[in-house]
Amino acid sequence: MRNFLLALLLLPMLAAIQSTVIAQSGWAVKARPDLVLVAVLAWNIASPHTESILWALIGGIAVDNLSGGPMGSTVVALLTATLLANFTSARVWQSHIMLRIIVPVAGSVLYYLVYSLVLAFSGWRADWTSALISVFLPSVAVNTALMLLLFPPARWLATRIASRTINI
């Protein structure tokens, strides 16, 4: 329950910052960090439970409400990236440093791929090759750097609020 409340408080705030402050800042012209995506992926690695899929749903709805894209496009893209993060964050890999690098790279690429496909099928026109090179790849690098910064606090917070379970 505390996991859900944290998502309801944190993700709309991150979506608002992502849609207003970062979108209007001059330093994020090409490589815009996706704060909601990074927070959702960090939480999915730190707390790999089925509740963490709610983070993708809440974050996707928050971003979709503040964006000009088709409603549900971010939800679909975030849920896809979340499934990847949940799949890769088994207990064996949970503390491995490579997980903190591989998940944001693969999750961001999958997120942008699914989001672009949804936009293309919705009739949006864009130069996808140019977007890939000038926007998506730099954003993947920024998201990966952000993950390295956000994962330790997410793991600390997950250990403090998550109920302890014993898997048999």
Side-chain angles (χ1 to χ4, degrees):
M1 182 66 168
R2 291 178 280 188
N3 186 353
F4 180 69
L5 292 175
L6 180 64
L8 281 176
L9 293 173
L10 181 67
L11 293 174
M13 182 179 61
L14 288 176
I17 292 169
Q18 177 178 317
S19 297
T20 57
V21 176
I22 292 177
Q24 298 300 321
S25 67
W27 61 270
V29 174
K30 293 286 185 181
R32 290 189 180 167
D34 287 309
L35 300 177
V36 174
L37 172 65
V38 173
V40 167
L41 291 177
W43 192 259
N44 276 284
I45 297 171
S47 178
H49 303 291
T50 55
E51 293 174 356
S52 56
I53 293 176
L54 286 174
W55 278 60
L57 183 64
I58 293 168
I61 290 171
V63 171
D64 278 338
N65 281 325
L66 296 172
S67 74
M71 189 58 126
S73 57
T74 307
V75 173
V76 171
L78 272 176
L79 283 173
T80 308
T82 297
L83 291 175
L84 173 74
N86 275 338
F87 179 71
T88 59
S89 62
R91 292 285 176 211
V92 175
W93 291 97
Q94 189 172 14
S95 63
H96 201 279
I97 186 70
M98 288 304 292
L99 181 67
R100 298 178 206 164
I101 296 170
I102 292 170
V103 167
V105 169
S108 295
V109 168
L110 187 61
Y111 171 83
Y112 292 128
L113 177 68
V114 170
Y115 190 74
S116 299
L117 287 172
V118 170
L119 289 179
F121 287 133
S122 298
W124 285 57
R125 303 272 182 234
D127 181 12
W128 298 111
T129 307
S130 175
L132 172 71
I133 294 170
S134 64
V135 178
F136 296 161
L137 292 179
S139 293
V140 168
V142 170
N143 290 343
T144 304
L146 271 176
M147 174 65 91
L148 294 174
L149 294 173
L150 288 179
F151 179 71
R155 185 171 58 182
W156 177 83
L157 192 58
T159 59
R160 297 297 181 264
I161 68 169
S163 59
R164 304 206 182 250
T165 59
I166 299 174
N167 295 329
I168 299 177

